[in-house]
Amino acid sequence: MSLKFFKPLFDSSSWLLQELNVEQKGVFFSYFLGFLALLWFLCFFISNNSNKRLPPGPKALPLIGNLFSLDPELHTYFASLSQTYGPICRLWLGKKIGIIITSPALAREVLKDQDTIFANRDVPAAGREATYGGNDITWTPYGPKWRMLRKVCVRDMLSGSTLDSVYGLRKKELRQTINYFYSQKDLPVNVGEQMFLTVLNVITSMLWGGTVKGEERANLGAEFRHVVNEMTELLGTPNVSDFYPGLDWFDLQGVIKKMKVLAKRFDKIFESMIDQRQKMDRNAEMGADVGQESKDFLQVLLKLKDEADSKIPLTMTELKALLMDMVVGGTDTTANVVEFAMAEIMNKPDVLRKLQQEVDTVVGKDNIVEESHIQQLPYFYAVMKEALRLHPALPLLVPHCPSETCTVGGYTVPEGSRVFINVWAIQRDPSIWKNPTEFHPERFLANKWDYSGNDFNYFPFGSGRRICAGIAMAERMFMYSLASLIHSFDWKLSEGETLDLTEKFGIVLKKKMPLVAIPIPRLSNPTLYDNYYMLIDKSVYCNLFSLEPELHTYFASLSQTYGPICKLWLGKKLGIIITSPALARKVLKEQDTIFANRDVPAAGRELSYGGADIVWNPFGPKWRMLKKVCVRDMLGGSALDSVYALRKKELRQTINYFYCQAGLPVNVGEQMFLTVFNVITSTLWGGTVKGEERANLGAEFRHVVYGITELLGTPNVSDFYLGLDWFDLQGVTKKMKVLAKRFDKIFESMIDQRQKMDRNAEMGAGVGQESKDFLQVLLKLKDEADAKMPDMVVGGTATAANTVEFAMAEIMNKPNVLRKLQQELDTIVGKDNIVEEFHIQQLPYFYAVMKEVLRLHPILPLLVPHCPSETSIVGGYTVPKGSRVFLNVWAIHRDPSIWENRTEFHPEIFLDNKCDYSGNDFNYFPFGSGRRMCAGIAMAERIFMFLLASLIHSFNWKLSKGENLDLTEKFGIVLKKEMPLVAIPTPRLSNPTLYE
């Protein structure tokens, strides 16, 4: 007897009993079991006469029936019962009767011959709560209302013409996924997880792609992922209320309460979307929104609601229930089948080869897959059918429920039974299928089997009136996704890994072990992987089409071919690449005033209040004032000294975290990012916001910073073709506007709180407050306060954190360097003390390490591009006004004519020479030079030195057994490690209290 299946029931009931003592629990269960016994015996005697001709099945226990004997893998357990008791058998599920059908002939009786009787559902409590009382197409009883909802889905939402109208939304989401896989090339990726996110984004994009845009839709995606996961978990939880309807009111496991909370979160989002769409439609009727994009599903549904038949209206509740079906019902199903298909294909190299040959013939390796191609891919269709045969999305379909007692296969099936059609077992029946467990797509090339539901040997989407309404959508998403994945990449497992095709039963069948595979690009041109490829025709890209993702190395290779100054046409804009110290001096020193401006990208302009910050502000009096404020009032020595306690507090928390993880692998780069982020925000308003409020702000800012850095690194058509700026074709400006507003809202709150504190202090109510934070300093400048804070938060986090991560990796790769650093620290600090910031001036070898790291891995490998305010001459060549000028400091720092053993990490080279980062030596200028040199050098130096010294002093570091250090770089706004540094800290100080 197995209790594994029913374990969740006991786990989720614990909340009811946790306040009771042993004696009270005994009394409770005595009453509870007595009540169940009375209920069961009443039901038994009432129904005794009608149960005489029930199908055969295993013996049942009083009260609980066969519940305790159920195996968690229901599809295989039910298949084993059919081998013992025949193609129709029964189980007692508490008070309910479960009927299991495992043959094509009996499935035909249920789904075709008696389809009307079996066209209802036995609605579980969780499903009823999730779908506004069962008002959706899945659970609504068969009748006029259900027919109306079905018609809305099949004709108006999921018809061919409607799906065609939102193809652009599907394509956009899939191209982003292909771009993501490309960015992870040669690295293991979780295929199923990415397909889930893709399908979810596609569905929500189609639901309200024209209603919600930019960052707001991205945030909704994250919200939905969380809620959908919780909902599917609740729908799969064995619930006493479903097995004993008399107990429904008690909600013993709290399933209804939990689902009610989740449903309310959905409802709140639906209400918001509906309000926005109705407002947009009213504006359109008034002529205020001419030229808007094609309709999304929400717009279609709202129109249907307004035009519905008064006898059978489409209510707002039913409209929202349909939205719920689309989001919850359409994500896992498609994503899991694609994952199974990919796993089966990788397990059959000959199948992969045939698929790639077919798609190369139809699409070609110099093009991308379009949805229009999929009708020309018969072998892909065969693969889809075979994947759905072996791994049907819903292995038991959605259980049916007869509306009256009837006969199936000569046995009585009582009214209200829960009828399971084991399509998984039928589709693996050896009497129907040759080699039933083998993945063999060819079987679908030579016959007419399809998934229309007319052949009861093969019906993965069900059959009859309740056949899945989303087949057309599922077919398009599966075919388009699979063809794009197979066309764009070769796929392999990590070395030593083996494919596991084991299934895990659930509402939706899934792989027990997720498919983690390595994508290897196979198309002819890297730009075919760009997520903006579809926006503009190739012919107008000029050199844009030939750019490689790793721009710093690509630009270095161009300089070897074309010399130390060369050009690229970036759309309508001219790019100039400088790769020599002499020409860098021309630009940053001799003609510094001319090149002291920036070519402001649309995303940067939106983030910085119209370019009002120190990074993008045009050179002139306003910029000089901002620079003076930064260097003198915010980032000067005395200002940094005044907030040292805030920095120290954050760093000590990080050291304590690593100590708690001693002996375990930790992601060093991730922890460095969080530490630097907390240091900077603490410095900004550490005296203004405290405790839980500041922790919450940290989480908010982390999300916004990630979004901002991604947008700043997105190639934006508006930056290359200024005439297209107004159209914002990629939505970069709109997305950045949303993020900037979130920044602004937080900044306004901080400013209000600080002003209130300062007024109280002036009145004597704040005597004894802690030292000033930067916000207090900035408020003296009033108008510039807002523009400064994004620079500090966005510009100061990833830069310092990534440099520390590179330093740690290089040090761990050179044990002699680590030994010298620890010897220096032990001499200056001692192993019975902690590092303080005043120690760092006494650590010359640490300074040498910092300089060497910044040589090999400069923070901004191309600096921030400059823009000449007038046409000038550099190296004998004309540099037109308005060009975008890239200083490839990364390449200069690795120039073999300047640096001996240029790619080797050798800090000693900075012990005996006077190279520094003041910007006066154009062989080495990691922070830039001239007027636009980084204003935060002093801050960066302190954070880097303090962090690195504390990490090296407090711990020894090693890799996990069998791991190797990877120092590969990944280009971005800020240079980063392609593979994060995961290392194991081992405490080395003399006293554990030093880690507190």
Side-chain angles (χ1 to χ4, degrees):
M1 183 178 293
S2 172
L3 299 179
K4 290 188 292 183
F5 179 86
F6 220 58
K7 184 178 182 294
L9 188 155
F10 297 108
D11 293 342
S12 57
S13 298
S14 60
W15 63 272
L16 184 67
L17 306 175
Q18 60 187 0
E19 300 298 329
L20 304 180
N21 59 36
V22 174
E23 184 178 349
Q24 289 171 326
K25 288 178 182 177
V27 173
F28 174 83
F29 276 114
S30 297
Y31 282 111
F32 178 65
L33 292 174
F35 175 76
L36 284 183
L38 177 62
L39 184 66
W40 185 84
F41 281 114
L42 285 172
C43 293
F44 176 81
F45 286 117
I46 291 171
S47 59
N48 188 46
N49 291 331
S50 64
N51 291 344
K52 288 181 178 179
R53 298 189 62 207
L54 284 177
K59 291 183 179 179
L61 295 172
L63 304 179
I64 58 175
N66 303 109
L67 282 174
F68 275 0
S69 63
L70 295 181
D71 189 277
E73 301 303 312
L74 279 186
H75 59 314
T76 57
Y77 174 63
F78 284 178
S80 69
L81 289 180
S82 71
Q83 292 173 1
T84 303
Y85 298 102
I88 178 171
C89 54
R90 62 108 186 97
L91 288 171
W92 279 100
L93 306 173
K95 177 181 178 265
K96 278 192 184 296
I97 296 177
I99 303 294
I100 304 165
I101 303 293
T102 320
S103 82
L106 297 183
R108 179 184 293 275
E109 281 196 48
V110 170
L111 299 179
K112 186 173 184 179
D113 300 346
Q114 303 187 69
D115 185 17
T116 306
I117 293 173
F118 285 91
N120 284 308
R121 305 294 195 193
D122 182 20
V123 188
R128 189 165 53 248
E129 193 62 48
T131 55
Y132 301 87
N135 275 296
D136 66 330
I137 194 171
T138 303
W139 304 115
T140 294
Y142 175 67
K145 175 67 72 175
W146 176 83
R147 282 192 290 270
M148 181 273 293
L149 293 174
R150 174 85 182 187
K151 185 178 179 181
V152 167
C153 280
V154 175
R155 185 194 66 184
D156 299 300
M157 289 178 67
L158 299 174
S159 66
S161 58
T162 307
L163 290 174
D164 287 342
S165 71
V166 289
Y167 167 52
L169 299 172
R170 290 195 295 282
K171 179 176 180 179
K172 178 184 176 184
E173 298 298 341
L174 187 58
R175 293 312 304 167
Q176 288 179 347
T177 298
I178 295 300
N179 176 258
Y180 169 80
F181 282 131
Y182 182 73
S183 72
Q184 302 297 306
K185 59 180 184 269
D186 301 322
L187 299 174
V189 290
N190 188 320
V191 177
E193 180 180 272
Q194 286 306 311
M195 294 319 301
F196 176 87
L197 297 179
T198 303
V199 176
L200 180 62
N201 287 338
V202 164
I203 289 174
T204 54
S205 184
M206 289 191 300
L207 283 176
W208 44 69
T211 307
V212 187
K213 300 180 177 70
E215 181 65 17
E216 185 176 2
R217 200 176 70 74
N219 294 337
L220 277 178
E223 171 79 356
F224 272 126
R225 282 196 290 276
H226 176 72
V227 178
V228 166
N229 287 335
E230 290 195 33
M231 274 192 162
T232 53
E233 185 177 337
L234 284 179
L235 287 168
T237 300
N239 187 5
V240 170
S241 299
D242 295 331
F243 305 133
Y244 303 95
L247 301 179
D248 190 49
W249 184 84
F250 296 96
D251 188 24
L252 293 175
Q253 294 162 257
V255 169
I256 296 174
K257 289 181 182 178
K258 294 171 188 174
M259 187 63 86
K260 189 173 291 187
V261 172
L262 296 175
K264 281 184 179 179
R265 291 170 70 179
F266 260 126
D267 188 68
K268 185 177 179 181
I269 295 169
F270 291 156
E271 288 284 353
S272 173
M273 296 304 97
I274 290 166
D275 288 344
Q276 288 188 53
R277 170 48 73 189
Q278 289 175 327
K279 183 178 179 180
M280 290 171 69
D281 289 346
R282 286 194 296 270
N283 290 340
E285 289 172 3
M286 298 169 63
D289 202 16
V290 178
Q292 65 177 331
E293 59 190 274
S294 58
K295 291 181 180 180
D296 48 46
F297 286 0
L298 179 54
Q299 198 169 5
V300 172
L301 284 172
L302 286 169
K303 184 179 179 183
L304 288 170
K305 174 185 172 295
D306 293 338
E307 298 173 356
D309 186 341
S310 59
K311 293 181 181 178
I312 311 176
L314 175 64
T315 67
M316 188 62 77
T317 296
E318 289 154 354
L319 185 154
K320 290 189 286 188
L322 286 174
L323 295 179
M324 186 79 76
D325 275 351
M326 290 288 291
V327 174
V328 178
T331 47
D332 262 359
T333 49
T334 304
N336 288 354
V337 177
V338 171
E339 184 180 18
F340 271 121
M342 285 292 293
E344 293 283 7
I345 291 165
M346 289 179 64
N347 201 40
K348 293 272 189 174
D350 61 312
V351 173
L352 176 59
R353 186 173 60 254
K354 289 179 183 179
L355 288 171
Q356 289 182 333
Q357 287 172 350
E358 182 175 74
V359 77
D360 288 348
T361 301
V362 174
V363 180
K365 294 178 75 170
D366 58 349
N367 200 2
I368 63 172
V369 176
E370 300 282 354
E371 217 171 64
S372 59
H373 292 128
I374 64 180
Q375 297 295 332
Q376 307 167 57
L377 304 172
Y379 195 64
F380 272 88
Y381 269 98
V383 165
M384 175 174 65
K385 291 176 182 178
E386 180 70 339
L388 287 167
R389 181 190 70 83
L390 273 177
H391 313 287
L394 304 177
L396 304 178
L397 303 182
V398 178
H400 290 252
C401 181
S403 55
E404 60 184 72
T405 298
C406 58
T407 300
V408 175
Y411 292 99
T412 299
V413 176
E415 175 186 351
S417 305
R418 183 172 289 189
V419 179
F420 302 94
I421 313 290
N422 195 344
V423 67
W424 181 89
I426 293 171
Q427 292 181 175
R428 292 179 175 230
D429 188 335
S431 69
I432 303 170
W433 305 92
K434 186 179 178 181
N435 300 320
T437 60
E438 181 185 351
F439 184 76
H440 185 61
E442 283 74 11
R443 73 175 87 235
F444 285 97
L445 288 175
N447 64 51
K448 298 180 180 179
W449 266 320
D450 59 24
Y451 33 75
S452 63
N454 294 318
D455 189 328
F456 289 91
N457 293 328
Y458 179 75
F459 53 114
F461 292 101
S463 180
R465 287 170 171 79
R466 288 289 193 166
I467 191 172
C468 174
I471 295 177
M473 171 67 181
E475 178 188 282
R476 291 196 188 203
M477 267 314 299
F478 178 98
M479 289 287 288
Y480 189 26
S481 299
L482 187 67
S484 297
L485 294 176
I486 296 299
H487 178 244
S488 302
F489 304 98
D490 287 311
W491 296 86
K492 68 177 183 179
L493 297 178
S494 299
E495 189 173 348
E497 294 292 324
T498 55
L499 265 172
D500 186 337
L501 289 161
T502 309
E503 298 167 330
K504 180 176 175 59
F505 179 82
I507 299 170
V508 177
L509 197 65
K510 61 180 66 178
K511 279 184 88 279
K512 191 169 189 177
M513 296 296 292
L515 175 61
V516 177
I518 299 172
I520 303 167
R522 63 183 299 271
L523 300 184
S524 60
N525 195 318
T527 56
L528 293 170
Y529 296 94
D530 293 341
N531 58 12
Y532 61 89
Y533 172 79
M534 61 184 176
L535 297 175
I536 293 184
D537 186 76
K538 303 179 196 178
S539 60
V540 297
Y541 264 85
C542 301
N543 299 116
L544 280 175
F545 205 66
S546 63
L547 295 181
E548 293 181 6
E550 302 302 311
L551 279 186
H552 59 315
T553 57
Y554 174 63
F555 283 2
S557 70
L558 289 180
S559 71
Q560 292 173 1
T561 303
Y562 299 103
I565 179 170
C566 54
K567 70 163 172 55
L568 286 173
W569 278 105
L570 306 173
K572 299 286 288 183
K573 195 171 283 291
L574 186 64
I576 304 294
I577 304 167
I578 303 293
T579 320
S580 84
L583 296 184
R585 179 183 293 275
K586 289 276 186 186
V587 169
L588 299 179
K589 187 171 184 179
E590 296 173 15
Q591 301 187 67
D592 186 16
T593 307
I594 293 174
F595 287 90
N597 283 308
R598 304 294 195 193
D599 181 22
V600 188
R605 188 164 54 246
E606 195 59 49
L607 170 67
S608 56
Y609 302 85
D613 66 331
I614 194 172
V615 176
W616 305 115
N617 214 291
F619 176 66
K622 173 68 74 173
W623 176 84
R624 281 192 289 268
M625 181 275 292
L626 292 174
K627 176 89 170 184
K628 183 179 179 182
V629 167
C630 277
V631 174
R632 183 195 63 188
D633 299 310
M634 290 178 65
L635 301 175
S638 59
L640 291 174
D641 288 342
S642 70
V643 289
Y644 167 52
L646 299 173
R647 291 195 296 280
K648 180 178 177 179
K649 176 184 175 185
E650 299 298 341
L651 179 59
R652 295 314 302 169
Q653 288 178 348
T654 299
I655 295 299
N656 177 257
Y657 169 83
F658 283 129
Y659 181 75
C660 294
Q661 302 297 310
L664 300 174
V666 291
N667 188 320
V668 177
E670 182 180 88
Q671 288 305 313
M672 289 302 95
F673 180 90
L674 296 177
T675 303
V676 176
F677 185 87
N678 288 337
V679 164
I680 288 174
T681 53
S682 182
T683 303
L684 277 173
W685 48 67
T688 307
V689 188
K690 300 183 178 70
E692 184 67 20
E693 184 179 4
R694 200 176 70 74
N696 294 338
L697 275 177
E700 169 76 351
F701 267 114
R702 279 197 294 277
H703 176 76
V704 177
V705 167
Y706 284 139
I708 285 173
T709 53
E710 183 177 341
L711 286 177
L712 287 172
T714 299
N716 187 5
V717 172
S718 299
D719 294 332
F720 306 135
Y721 300 90
L722 300 186
L724 299 179
D725 192 28
W726 184 81
F727 297 96
D728 189 27
L729 293 176
Q730 292 163 261
V732 169
T733 303
K734 291 180 181 178
K735 294 172 186 174
M736 188 63 87
K737 189 174 290 185
V738 172
L739 293 175
K741 281 184 179 178
R742 291 170 70 180
F743 257 133
D744 190 69
K745 185 177 179 181
I746 296 170
F747 293 161
E748 287 290 340
S749 173
M750 296 304 97
I751 290 168
D752 288 343
Q753 289 188 53
R754 170 49 72 189
Q755 288 175 327
K756 183 178 179 180
M757 290 171 69
D758 289 348
R759 285 194 296 270
N760 290 340
E762 290 172 2
M763 297 170 63
V767 178
Q769 66 175 337
E770 63 188 357
S771 59
K772 291 184 179 180
D773 48 44
F774 283 2
L775 177 55
Q776 203 167 2
V777 174
L778 278 172
L779 281 171
K780 293 181 179 180
L781 302 167
K782 299 292 192 296
D783 296 337
E784 282 66 47
D786 279 344
K788 283 288 190 302
M789 288 196 282
D791 281 355
M792 291 287 291
V793 175
V794 178
T797 48
T799 51
N802 289 358
T803 305
V804 173
E805 184 179 18
F806 271 122
M808 287 291 293
E810 293 283 6
I811 291 165
M812 289 178 65
N813 201 41
K814 292 274 190 174
N816 61 313
V817 173
L818 176 59
R819 186 170 60 253
K820 289 180 182 179
L821 289 171
Q822 289 181 332
Q823 287 173 351
E824 186 175 73
L825 278 166
D826 291 347
T827 301
I828 300 299
V829 181
K831 294 178 73 171
D832 58 350
N833 200 359
I834 63 171
V835 176
E836 299 282 354
E837 211 169 71
F838 66 81
H839 289 128
I840 64 179
Q841 297 296 332
Q842 308 167 56
L843 304 172
Y845 196 67
F846 267 86
Y847 270 97
V849 165
M850 176 173 63
K851 291 176 182 178
E852 178 67 339
V853 170
L854 289 169
R855 181 188 70 81
L856 275 176
H857 313 287
I859 299 169
L860 304 176
L862 304 177
L863 302 182
V864 178
H866 291 251
C867 181
S869 55
E870 61 186 69
T871 299
S872 61
I873 303 296
V874 176
Y877 293 97
T878 299
V879 177
K881 174 183 178 181
S883 305
R884 182 172 289 189
V885 180
F886 301 93
L887 280 299
N888 195 343
V889 67
W890 180 89
I892 293 172
H893 284 185
R894 293 178 177 229
D895 188 336
S897 67
I898 303 169
W899 305 94
E900 186 178 353
N901 300 322
R902 60 196 178 92
T903 60
E904 182 184 348
F905 183 74
H906 186 60
E908 283 75 9
I909 63 175
F910 286 98
L911 288 175
D912 300 324
N913 67 45
K914 297 180 180 179
C915 253
D916 59 23
Y917 33 74
S918 63
N920 294 318
D921 187 332
F922 289 92
N923 292 331
Y924 179 77
F925 54 114
F927 293 99
S929 181
R931 287 170 170 80
R932 287 292 192 164
M933 187 175 183
C934 174
I937 296 177
M939 176 74 165
E941 178 187 283
R942 292 199 187 202
I943 290 178
F944 177 95
M945 291 286 286
F946 194 22
L947 273 175
L948 188 65
S950 297
L951 293 177
I952 298 299
H953 180 246
S954 302
F955 304 96
N956 289 312
W957 297 87
K958 66 177 181 179
L959 297 178
S960 298
K961 189 176 182 180
E963 294 291 326
N964 295 314
L965 265 172
D966 186 339
L967 289 162
T968 309
E969 300 167 325
K970 182 174 176 60
F971 178 83
I973 300 169
V974 178
L975 198 65
K976 63 177 70 175
K977 280 183 87 280
E978 186 163 32
M979 295 294 292
L981 175 62
V982 177
I984 299 172
T986 307
R988 64 182 297 271
L989 300 186
S990 61
N991 193 324
T993 59
L994 295 171
Y995 295 96
E996 293 175 358

